[in-house]
């Protein structure tokens, strides 16, 4: 029963971040926790992990399923140590879980893997407006 202890260093006391919390494709009913303008489209646990590690957070990755998720494919959650043993914030710039989610939403679009996806060629869009002549039988 981790909730009865005051020791914030126990892994059970760390906060959980599911990708649905910062997914701009989800509604609030489906699990989004912050404003759509601050969210990112379809984040993965790997992207959240990379962003949190870069900020110097102590994290753990777990293979758990979010209960509001209809699709069983995007699995996983990230556990983040929010507070030190004495109750002070581990990182002063991220004192609350909401501030961590806002940081994740701002930082994932800056990842190299995200920038490469959007910088692709537009070969598929070149033939959309052209009509092919078909012979009638």
């Amino acid at each position: 029963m981790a909730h009865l202890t005051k020791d914030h260093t126990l892994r059970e006391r760390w906060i959980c971040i599911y990708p649905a919390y910062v997914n701009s494709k989800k509604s609030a009913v489906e699990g989004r926790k912050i404003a759509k303008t601050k969210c990112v489209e379809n984040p993965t646990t790997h992207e959240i992990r990379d962003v949190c590690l870069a900020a110097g957070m102590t994290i753990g990755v777990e293979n758990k399923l979010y209960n509001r998720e209809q699709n069983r494919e995007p699995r996983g959650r990230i556990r983040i140590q929010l507070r030190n043993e004495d109750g002070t914030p581990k990182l002063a710039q991220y004192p609350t879980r909401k501030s961590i989610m806002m940081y994740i939403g701002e930082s994932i679009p800056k990842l190299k893997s995200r920038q490469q996806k959007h910088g692709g060629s537009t070969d598929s869009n070149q033939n959309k407006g052209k009509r092919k002549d078909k012979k009638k039988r």
Side-chain angles (χ1 to χ4, degrees):
M1 297 214 221
H3 67 280
L4 297 178
T5 66
K6 294 287 183 181
D7 188 9
H8 294 281
T9 58
L10 293 176
R11 192 176 172 111
E12 293 83 25
R13 298 277 298 169
W14 296 4
I15 64 168
C16 293
I17 304 287
Y18 287 96
Y21 289 178
V22 292
N23 190 347
S24 63
K25 295 284 188 181
K26 300 281 182 191
S27 66
V29 173
E30 292 172 324
R32 183 176 40 82
K33 300 281 186 187
I34 58 176
K36 277 191 178 184
T37 57
K38 305 288 185 188
C39 290
V40 64
E41 186 176 326
N42 297 325
T44 64
T45 53
H46 300 294
E47 291 171 335
I48 295 172
R49 180 200 61 195
D50 293 343
V51 164
C52 292
L53 285 175
M57 298 178 194
T58 306
I59 66 161
V61 180
E62 298 176 339
N63 189 20
K64 297 287 186 175
L65 181 66
Y66 185 48
N67 60 352
R68 293 187 191 176
E69 193 70 52
Q70 297 296 324
N71 187 1
R72 302 283 185 212
E73 221 27 60
R75 295 183 66 100
R77 74 176 175 198
I78 305 294
R79 283 215 180 241
I80 302 172
Q81 184 179 0
L82 185 62
R83 302 191 179 279
N84 291 322
E85 189 172 342
D86 59 353
T88 59
K90 180 113 174 126
L91 296 172
Q93 63 268 36
Y94 311 115
T96 62
R97 77 177 58 221
K98 191 163 190 165
S99 65
I100 291 175
M101 286 189 275
M102 299 289 260
Y103 168 75
I104 290 169
E106 293 169 2
S107 300
I108 287 179
K110 297 175 187 173
L111 289 174
K112 286 183 180 178
S113 60
R114 284 284 173 142
Q115 292 173 353
Q116 290 172 354
K117 287 180 184 177
H118 297 298
S121 64
T122 59
D123 292 336
S124 61
N125 293 336
Q126 289 177 352
N127 295 330
K128 279 192 174 178
K130 297 179 182 177
R131 254 180 110 187
K132 292 183 180 180
D133 294 329
K134 293 185 179 180
K135 293 182 181 179
K136 293 184 180 179
R137 291 187 186 191

